[in-house]
Amino acid sequence: MLIAASSIVPAAGTTDYLAPVLAPGYLICESGTITEVGAGPPPGPADVEFATGFLLPGLVDLQVNGYFGIELGDAEPVGWAEVVRRLPETGTTAFLPTFITSPVEQLVAALRGTAGFAPELAGPAKADRVAGGAAPARVPAGARVLGVHLEGPFIAASRRGAHNPAWIIPPDEKTISALLAAGAGLVRVVTLAPEIDGAMAAIGQLTTAGALVSVGHSDATARQVAAAATAGARMVTHLFNGQRPLHHREPGVVGQALIDTRLACGLIADMQHVASPVAALAFRAAPGRIFLVTDAAASAGMAAGRYVLGGEPIDLANGDGAPPVRADGTLAGSALRMDAAVANMVAAGIGLPEAVAAATRIPADLVGRPDLGRIAPGAAADLTWLSDDLRTAATWVAGHQVYSRPLG
């Protein structure tokens, strides 16, 4: 398939270099993989042509508690399938379902159940044929499931946010082993507070098992965060939220996160969790190390009303971009779309290429998926077309179109 576009934002590059926008540009994909990318007019008649908007890599979200009325930590396969099918409406083509703090036995049961059906969600939605052969191609049902993010229960009660304090516990080898075994290889990220008892040993155990450790819901000092990075932590969960803030005498989690080049930082760019100037400051302080997340709760994509997060009620009020809250007013996840997160950062003064990289390549690389999050030869043909107002108009996963916005 040959796609031509008036503007392609490849997002390919490194921490210090971003591939330039191709205006115009084209790409060729075969069997779900990008085989060629070029600037200028296409080398032949295009199968798909975009005269407006921006063609990007598919967006990658590493923190999705739920969406469309469904809480993933407590959902049956049909609920998961609905989220997988509909997330491409927001530009997201790959994501990490996130389970927040719950009793360990509930987390074990949720992981065991998820391990039983999650691998099938990327299976064929219909039989298709690859070009020139009889072998059936696997057609994705929607967004890719990259694993599971466990946000808790090994966090600091003093920085718990919307997490139930009764379910917060210190980590130990047996509990971690039980969670990893139940996930059967699905546990990709674990958020913990490095200052609590047993945390350093837990970081070593999790890292050895191949899980990415993220500092979050933490009252750690800068020195403790640095020690966590030395032990193997490589990520910070929703920078500025649920953590010791920056102070000129004690940099805290925020200060260390911004200066420590070993750490990449998630940012909820709904401009409710973090003010616009502060979000822009993070991009400038840690270039190439900020990635966008939604931290979406079940209320995302839904009308105002009551929903659940971590099995407990949250309320979503009327208002564009307003996050859901607990009864005491505590922010409880978000109602953010990933395409809106990109648009919000552009409105905050961040360049479109940098905002796109923060929603694509940076998170993909962080979880060990260099085949995702970029428009480059050899990468998966996961694509998002944004209209001029930076709203998702169409998405593809593995070269198959999985969403197209109705016209009119």
Side-chain angles (χ1 to χ4, degrees):
M1 178 171 63
L2 173 59
I3 300 177
S6 59
S7 186
I8 296 178
V9 185
T14 65
T15 301
D16 301 317
Y17 167 77
L18 263 179
V21 174
L22 307 177
Y26 68 89
L27 65 87
I28 299 172
C29 63
E30 299 176 1
S31 302
T33 301
I34 297 169
T35 58
E36 183 178 339
V37 180
D47 299 298
V48 180
E49 188 164 4
F50 301 118
T52 61
F54 306 91
L55 187 63
L56 325 173
L59 308 183
V60 180
D61 189 352
L62 302 188
Q63 194 169 0
V64 181
N65 306 289
Y67 226 105
F68 307 116
I70 296 157
E71 183 177 32
L72 291 164
D74 194 37
E76 296 298 320
V78 64
W80 276 65
E82 176 75 356
V83 174
V84 163
R85 182 181 68 82
R86 294 193 59 193
L87 266 184
E89 298 173 17
T90 72
T92 298
T93 59
F95 73 109
L96 273 181
T98 301
F99 302 167
I100 74 164
T101 299
S102 297
V104 170
E105 59 272 18
Q106 289 185 23
L107 289 173
V108 166
L111 285 168
R112 188 174 292 126
T114 300
F117 61 76
E120 299 303 317
L121 290 175
K126 64 183 182 204
D128 202 2
R129 295 285 177 182
V130 297
R138 291 175 66 83
V139 180
R144 300 174 189 263
V145 176
L146 300 178
V148 169
H149 177 171
L150 292 180
E151 188 185 357
F154 314 125
I155 61 174
S158 62
R159 299 288 180 180
R160 64 185 181 275
H163 295 236
N164 188 325
W167 300 334
I168 294 171
I169 60 172
D172 63 75
E173 183 178 358
K174 182 179 178 181
T175 300
I176 291 172
S177 294
L179 292 168
L180 293 173
L186 275 181
V187 177
R188 192 68 199 90
V189 175
V190 177
T191 292
L192 56 72
E195 74 276 16
I196 64 176
D197 289 344
M200 288 299 154
I203 292 171
Q205 183 181 357
L206 289 163
T207 301
T208 299
L212 181 68
V213 175
S214 185
V215 174
H217 288 282
S218 167
D219 198 41
T221 63
R223 186 184 297 274
Q224 289 168 323
V225 175
T230 298
R234 289 295 177 265
M235 176 175 154
V236 174
T237 297
H238 46 51
L239 184 68
F240 300 109
N241 299 119
Q243 56 201 232
R244 182 187 287 246
L246 175 66
H247 187 275
H248 60 284
R249 293 193 183 94
E250 171 44 62
V253 176
V254 171
Q256 188 64 30
L258 291 175
I259 66 168
D260 196 324
T261 57
R262 297 171 294 180
L263 297 170
C265 308
L267 183 70
I268 307 171
D270 60 358
M271 305 317 177
Q272 306 281 334
H273 281 76
V274 180
S276 176
V278 179
L281 174 65
F283 269 75
R284 295 185 173 101
R289 294 192 292 112
I290 303 296
F291 63 95
L292 302 178
V293 297
T294 62
D295 195 20
S299 54
M302 302 296 288
R306 176 156 289 187
Y307 301 91
V308 293
L309 175 65
E312 299 185 305
I314 56 175
D315 291 301
L316 180 68
N318 286 311
D320 187 27
V325 295
R326 294 288 195 205
D328 64 358
T330 300
L331 298 183
S334 87
L336 183 63
R337 298 166 55 102
M338 275 296 277
D339 54 4
V342 172
N344 287 343
M345 290 314 309
V346 172
I350 301 303
L352 180 61
E354 289 77 15
V356 169
T360 56
R361 175 180 51 80
I362 294 171
D365 285 353
L366 188 59
V367 294
R369 292 300 301 266
D371 58 319
L372 303 178
R374 68 210 73 207
I375 294 178
D382 291 7
L383 306 167
T384 295
W385 176 40
L386 301 185
S387 54
D388 288 335
D389 62 355
L390 302 183
R391 187 81 168 186
T392 300
T395 47
W396 291 258
V397 174
H400 294 272
Q401 190 165 359
V402 291
Y403 171 70
S404 178
R405 187 169 71 197
L407 298 177

